[in-house]
């Protein structure tokens, strides 16, 4: 069984402070896991406590050993990318143009948008995107 063998008082203070201040629940759990491991909890106990796979616990420990606190933080860009983004001007223009062309016909708007962008979107995705844009008349 593998445990975190050494933590400096400063590292322990940083971990505890992050646990109490962060809104990121994943990061909080990782920090707690590192502290509990250092306090002598076995991997089986950590798996049970955090309800994750044993491999996740080992990954967290390896990340800590390789890069400390910074390594526990997920890097930006992870996860599913949005199919429609208000940051992309071409998406905004396509949706606005479709609503101007097919006023009141939401299905035609959806069809138009799906023909013009690379990833087709669902009715709900388009509705959420329009809500973000606050396009009048929708």
């Amino acid at each position: 069984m593998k445990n975190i063998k050494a933590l400096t008082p400063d590292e322990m203070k940083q971990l505890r402070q992050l646990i109490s201040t962060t809104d990121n629940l994943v990061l909080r759990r990782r920090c707690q896991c590192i502290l509990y491991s250092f306090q002598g909890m076995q991997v089986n106990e950590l798996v049970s406590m955090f309800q994750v796979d044993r491999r996740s616990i080992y990954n967290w420990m390896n990340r800590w050993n390789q890069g400390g606190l910074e390594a526990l933080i997920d890097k930006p860009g992870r996860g599913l990318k949005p199919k429609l983004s208000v940051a992309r001007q071409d998406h905004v223009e396509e949706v606005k143009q479709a609503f101007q062309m097919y006023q009141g016909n939401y299905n035609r708007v959806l069809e138009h948008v799906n023909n013009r962008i690379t990833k087709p979107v669902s009715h709900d995705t388009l509705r959420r995107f329009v809500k973000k844009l606050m396009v009048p008349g929708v």
Side-chain angles (χ1 to χ4, degrees):
M1 294 286 179
K2 176 181 177 177
N3 280 67
I4 300 297
K5 301 290 186 222
L7 284 180
T8 66
D10 189 44
E11 289 172 329
M12 290 174 59
K13 181 180 175 183
Q14 286 178 329
L15 287 167
R16 287 189 177 113
Q17 183 178 12
L18 199 55
I19 289 168
S20 64
T21 60
T22 187
D23 292 331
N24 185 335
L25 298 179
V26 174
L27 179 59
R28 183 181 303 160
R29 290 174 53 163
R30 291 173 185 167
C31 292
Q32 289 170 331
C33 179
I34 298 302
L35 281 174
Y36 288 139
S37 173
F38 177 67
Q39 293 169 355
M41 286 185 80
Q42 298 300 313
V43 172
N44 290 337
E45 296 171 301
L46 295 170
V47 165
S48 177
M49 176 184 283
F50 292 106
Q51 295 295 304
V52 296
D53 188 68
R54 149 189 249 62
R55 191 70 239 151
S56 295
I57 301 293
Y58 285 125
N59 285 340
W60 297 347
M61 290 181 188
N62 288 336
R63 286 168 72 171
W64 172 263
N65 286 331
Q66 291 171 3
L69 188 59
E70 291 298 317
L72 294 179
I73 300 170
D74 285 335
K75 293 173 181 49
R78 292 182 42 127
L80 186 64
K81 306 299 180 265
K83 293 181 178 183
L84 288 174
S85 171
V86 292
R88 290 203 41 196
Q89 193 60 33
D90 58 330
H91 288 173
V92 173
E93 292 303 319
E94 284 299 336
V95 171
K96 285 184 177 180
Q97 180 184 4
F99 273 101
Q100 289 171 354
M101 291 171 57
Y102 305 108
Q103 294 177 355
N105 191 338
Y106 208 83
N107 289 328
R108 292 291 306 244
V109 169
L110 181 62
E111 182 182 332
H112 176 86
V113 169
N114 280 334
N115 287 334
R116 302 291 174 106
I117 63 171
T118 56
K119 295 180 185 176
V121 298
S122 69
H123 185 275
D124 289 334
T125 300
L126 181 60
R127 181 184 49 79
R128 287 189 299 270
F129 181 73
V130 169
K131 189 174 180 181
K132 284 181 189 175
L133 285 179
M134 295 187 174
V135 175
V138 179

